[in-house]
Amino acid sequence: MRFTNLFMLLLLSTLFSAFSGCGGGGGEEPTPQPGNPPTIVGFTVTPDPADPGNLVTFRIDVLADDREVAGAKADFTSVGGVNEVFFVYESGNKSPGGTSTWRFDWTIPSGNTTGLLSGDYGFTAIAWNKDTALTESTPFAMPNPLTINNVAPTIVLKNQAIKNNALSLITIEVSDDNSLADIDSVVVDLTQLNGANNTIMNDNGVNGDATANDGIYTCQVTLNTGITPTGYRMITFTAFDGIEQATG
């Protein structure tokens, strides 16, 4: 009887130990380890240089360490965007030891309100692991991966026949490397003829302008120049596309 009771105690003790080892007796789960961060090994932009209105593709190449890569993002504040632009997986191996490519397509802003100045623009990228801690890579800085060419409008000068104390028509031709729609305004400085500075010219088909939206800007003025003798005088035109300006 004593041997039977002792055997039962040993059996119960063994079963309790086994059950506890399976996590049913209050054992704690191990804390997931974050692993080593991935490394960004490349950041490319195509095409470069680019013009306003162009579709540009950004690619981030990420080398995984001991965890799968979960994503990549870049800071777009340099071009007026947000500080977290999330890229999508394009190709490659996201698993430990592999290299994957992440992509983002972006259209360069254009026009006279949202366009960007010509110049070089930099970005900073980050990638992270697929684990509880979302371990991030060291920020990868590309100082000047994108060059934007936003060329100022072009002015074609014309000789002007301005009459004293009579209605005169002043015309000038303006073009833009993107489109005529990008031209914001055109003005002329008539102070050398005792007129106003920044006199507005128009391309709307009225007030002396023959055809709307053809790039020929016109203004009608009546000047009392009071200048003698007659001859040539210098007047200055300025065309704006909201981002760059040209004078002539």
Side-chain angles (χ1 to χ4, degrees):
M1 185 67 177
R2 291 181 61 189
F3 290 109
T4 302
N5 290 339
L6 180 60
F7 175 75
M8 290 296 293
L9 289 171
L10 289 172
L11 179 61
L12 289 171
S13 177
T14 302
L15 288 173
F16 179 78
S17 298
F19 184 70
S20 298
C22 292
E28 296 183 358
E29 292 287 340
T31 302
Q33 297 301 308
N36 296 320
T39 302
I40 295 178
V41 294
F43 191 130
T44 59
V45 183
T46 54
D48 179 46
D51 296 327
N54 284 172
L55 179 66
V56 178
T57 297
F58 294 78
R59 286 184 174 89
I60 299 174
D61 297 322
V62 184
L63 174 64
D65 194 287
D66 57 355
R67 294 289 190 275
E68 181 179 332
V69 176
K73 62 185 178 181
D75 183 344
F76 268 57
T77 54
S78 67
V79 291
V82 298
N83 64 349
E84 287 189 331
V85 172
F86 292 90
F87 285 45
V88 298
Y89 169 75
E90 182 179 48
S91 62
N93 184 5
K94 296 183 288 183
S95 301
T99 301
S100 55
T101 299
W102 301 75
R103 171 177 177 160
F104 180 73
D105 293 324
W106 179 66
T107 300
I108 299 176
S110 63
N112 53 38
T113 56
T114 59
L116 295 169
L117 289 169
S118 298
D120 297 325
Y121 291 85
F123 303 85
T124 301
I126 290 176
W128 62 94
N129 282 342
K130 187 178 182 181
D131 58 33
T132 303
L134 291 178
T135 309
E136 292 186 343
S137 66
T138 300
F140 185 89
M142 287 289 290
N144 299 309
L146 174 63
T147 299
I148 295 177
N149 293 328
N150 191 353
V151 181
T154 300
I155 295 175
V156 179
L157 298 175
K158 299 176 180 292
N159 288 332
Q160 313 292 330
I162 299 175
K163 302 175 182 178
N164 192 30
N165 292 319
L167 186 67
S168 299
L169 195 67
I170 301 175
T171 62
I172 191 172
E173 183 176 354
V174 182
S175 62
D176 190 90
D177 68 320
N178 292 317
S179 71
L180 291 176
D182 274 0
I183 299 173
D184 185 34
S185 62
V186 179
V187 298
V188 57
D189 180 356
L190 297 174
T191 55
Q192 292 294 316
L193 300 173
N194 293 336
N197 186 16
N198 293 331
T199 299
I200 296 174
M201 307 185 72
N202 74 84
D203 185 20
N204 57 11
V206 297
N207 297 322
D209 185 60
T211 305
N213 303 318
D214 62 352
I216 306 297
Y217 282 75
T218 307
C219 70
Q220 292 184 124
V221 293
T222 299
L223 299 173
N224 180 10
T225 64
I227 298 175
T228 56
T230 60
Y232 289 100
R233 297 292 185 275
M234 179 69 70
I235 58 177
T236 302
F237 300 89
T238 306
F240 301 87
D241 68 1
I243 304 299
E244 306 283 352
Q245 71 178 51
T247 58

